[in-house]
Amino acid sequence: TIDALRALNRAGLPVVVVTNQSGIARKYFSEAFVQETHRALDARLARGGARVDAYYYCPHHPDGKLPDYARECDCRKPRPGLIDRAARDLNLDPARSFVVGDKWGDIGLAQAVGARGVLVRTGTGAIAERQPRPGVTADVVVDNLAAAASWILMRC
């Protein structure tokens, strides 16, 4: 992961993490825990000369136990709210961007914002690959984040 992100960083590409964190709404963990996790990731990446430029997360879920978070929203992937925020905050063009993920929701997000979708087989991606979703198609399926970064770099 560090090598892949460092390669993207060196190419001048912004690296943004967009994630559903429904565990907040479900009272499994707090927003402070998510933020501390991001700080710990940043420290580990920095030791390897890599960085994430920004993190965006959705704390909501319609079945949540915390009233402030128990709702439908526009930021829960595959809806485009988090990408819209990142595009505004970081002056990004989603049509010139890539979404890398291991779930069809990630690829659906890419399609929703006009980005290219890269399904990685790591995590749950190998299972997802064997269970396609109607109307959701990845631009490419690769083995891991290093292969995703390589594919992206060849297209920039």
Side-chain angles (χ1 to χ4, degrees):
T1 299
I2 290 172
D3 292 339
L5 296 183
R6 187 175 50 242
L8 296 170
N9 296 151
R10 287 181 178 165
L13 299 176
V15 174
V16 179
V17 172
V18 176
T19 179
N20 289 341
Q21 293 297 327
S22 67
I24 296 168
R26 296 173 186 209
K27 294 177 78 171
Y28 297 156
F29 47 82
S30 67
E31 283 196 76
F33 175 80
V34 171
Q35 293 162 0
E36 178 57 33
T37 300
H38 293 164
R39 285 190 292 275
L41 287 170
D42 283 342
R44 179 173 270 181
L45 293 170
R47 287 192 297 273
R51 73 177 183 287
V52 168
D53 295 292
Y55 295 90
Y56 294 87
Y57 63 92
C58 171
H60 310 111
H61 194 279
D63 299 329
K65 295 178 181 172
L66 291 175
D68 289 346
Y69 299 112
R71 62 183 170 91
E72 292 286 339
C73 62
D74 74 341
C75 61
R76 185 166 176 76
K77 295 185 296 182
R79 294 183 189 104
L82 294 178
I83 296 290
D84 293 344
R85 267 184 48 207
R88 276 192 312 273
D89 293 351
L90 303 171
N91 196 31
L92 303 175
D93 179 1
R96 296 182 60 218
S97 300
F98 302 85
V99 176
V100 178
D102 66 345
K103 295 178 177 58
W104 288 117
D106 300 315
I107 305 307
L109 173 62
Q111 287 181 217
V113 299
R116 287 177 273 186
V118 181
L119 182 70
V120 291
R121 291 184 180 108
T122 50
T124 62
I127 295 167
E129 183 182 20
R130 293 189 304 270
Q131 300 171 344
R133 295 265 173 94
V136 182
T137 305
D139 290 277
V140 68
V141 179
V142 297
D143 286 335
N144 53 41
L145 187 57
S150 178
W151 188 86
I152 290 166
L153 291 169
M154 288 189 302
R155 281 145 186 84
C156 292

